[in-house]
Amino acid sequence: MRNILVVANWKMNPRTLKEAKEIARASDDKRVVVCPPFIFLEEVKRTVKKGKVGAQNCFWERGGKKSSFTGEVSPGMLKDIGCKYVIVGHSERRTVLKEEAKVIKMKVKAVLAEKMTPILCVGEKKEKESAPEEIKKQLKEALQGVPLKNVIIAYEPVFAIGTGKACPVDLAEKRKLFIKSFLAKIRKKGEDIPVLYGGSVDGKNASSYVKAGFDGLLVGGASTKPGEFERILKKV
Ligand code: PEP
């Protein structure tokens, strides 16, 4: 049986620590990785007993002697606080924060070097024929030459993120097969690398992506709404 993983990407939410604790309590499930903003990580780690904790981003240097990076958080700090996963290459970081492919690759390597699991987000901007090429480019740029012991891919078509318009399941399934076949080409047993679906997942559509063979979900908006998130967990 597949181990289903549900990654809760809180993005820049909630505003207060009190709310963060409430959401964390409602998210505590052994299939869940809660990824709150850095500032709530320690408290969320204390609250989440069954699930795991991850970060939404990190810096590409590991720290130590090279640590003059004002405002940044190193993968080592995240590891020390108990993070097991780090989301890398989210489309909001690629577009709003202009994060380039080479930076994404450095982050993947830095996370792996700390023996945590990068959750690499890939996905086309628009629904179009050349989408597989766009996805392949993102995968290549981030993973080529990287020892892929421990990596998770999140297929997140940009047109479905935060829009309320999830990707049609048959299309998402096609993309998942494409990603798995690419991974199988670049690594032995690459088809076993987990691929998650993300993009406007809610309690109504969650189960269809798991039924279509995704190894789990990356949930944004709905992960900070305890009732809706519980509905998602019931369905997968
Ligand atoms: C995300 O943040 O990666 C995401 C998929 O967001 P949403 O579920 O809100 O579309």
Side-chain angles (χ1 to χ4, degrees):
M1 220 177 81
R2 276 178 308 151
N3 288 325
I4 297 299
L5 197 68
V6 182
V7 179
N9 175 18
W10 290 7
K11 311 195 191 207
M12 202 172 71
N13 299 295
R15 184 164 187 275
T16 65
L17 179 60
K18 185 169 174 276
E19 292 167 280
K21 283 192 215 172
E22 283 164 17
I23 301 167
R25 272 195 291 274
S27 313
D28 195 11
D29 182 292
K30 67 177 192 311
R31 297 163 296 175
V32 173
V33 179
V34 182
C35 300
F38 291 136
I39 193 149
F40 298 138
L41 269 172
E42 198 161 5
E43 193 57 45
V44 168
K45 178 77 183 71
R46 260 196 287 274
T47 308
V48 168
K49 304 276 185 246
K50 295 183 224 145
K52 296 195 176 64
V53 169
Q56 297 174 19
N57 178 40
C58 68
F59 195 57
W60 64 76
E61 288 284 358
R62 293 175 69 191
K65 281 186 191 144
K66 272 184 151 185
S67 57
S68 299
F69 303 108
T70 303
E72 292 296 341
V73 172
S74 77
M77 292 168 185
L78 297 173
K79 167 97 182 213
D80 183 59
I81 217 169
C83 282
K84 303 274 186 232
Y85 300 84
V86 182
I87 299 173
V88 180
H90 191 282
S91 73
E92 286 153 14
R93 297 202 63 86
R94 288 180 194 261
T95 53
V96 185
L97 293 146
K98 312 278 177 251
E99 211 165 88
E100 291 173 10
K102 65 171 192 240
V103 166
I104 293 167
K105 182 171 189 169
M106 287 193 284
K107 290 186 177 186
V108 168
K109 286 166 90 173
V111 172
L112 287 169
E114 289 292 349
K115 302 207 165 23
M116 294 182 290
T117 303
I119 302 171
L120 174 69
C121 301
V122 297
E124 70 271 39
K125 287 202 185 72
K126 290 194 180 130
E127 220 181 308
K128 55 182 179 190
E129 254 178 57
S130 59
E133 283 311 306
E134 202 177 331
I135 295 168
K136 186 167 154 188
K137 187 166 178 282
Q138 292 168 347
L139 288 168
K140 263 191 176 168
E141 286 169 342
L143 302 179
Q144 217 159 39
V146 176
L148 294 183
K149 263 203 181 141
N150 231 354
V151 75
I152 292 175
I153 307 297
Y155 167 60
E156 296 214 303
V158 180
F159 59 83
I161 299 179
T163 58
K165 290 184 185 145
C167 183
V169 180
D170 53 346
L171 180 63
E173 188 179 6
K174 259 196 222 164
R175 300 287 186 256
K176 181 209 53 178
L177 292 171
F178 174 80
I179 291 169
K180 292 253 181 193
S181 73
F182 176 79
L183 295 170
K185 275 185 209 140
I186 62 164
R187 199 194 86 167
K188 200 170 162 212
K189 295 211 170 148
E191 67 277 12
D192 293 342
I193 292 174
V195 179
L196 316 179
Y197 169 76
S200 296
V201 171
D202 60 23
K204 285 196 199 112
N205 62 27
S207 63
S208 54
Y209 296 102
V210 174
K211 278 187 198 139
F214 280 94
D215 302 293
L217 304 164
L218 200 166
V219 186
S223 70
T224 54
K225 299 180 189 117
E228 192 63 27
F229 196 56
E230 278 159 5
R231 268 191 284 285
I232 292 172
L233 293 177
K234 272 194 198 131
K235 296 282 177 67
V236 298

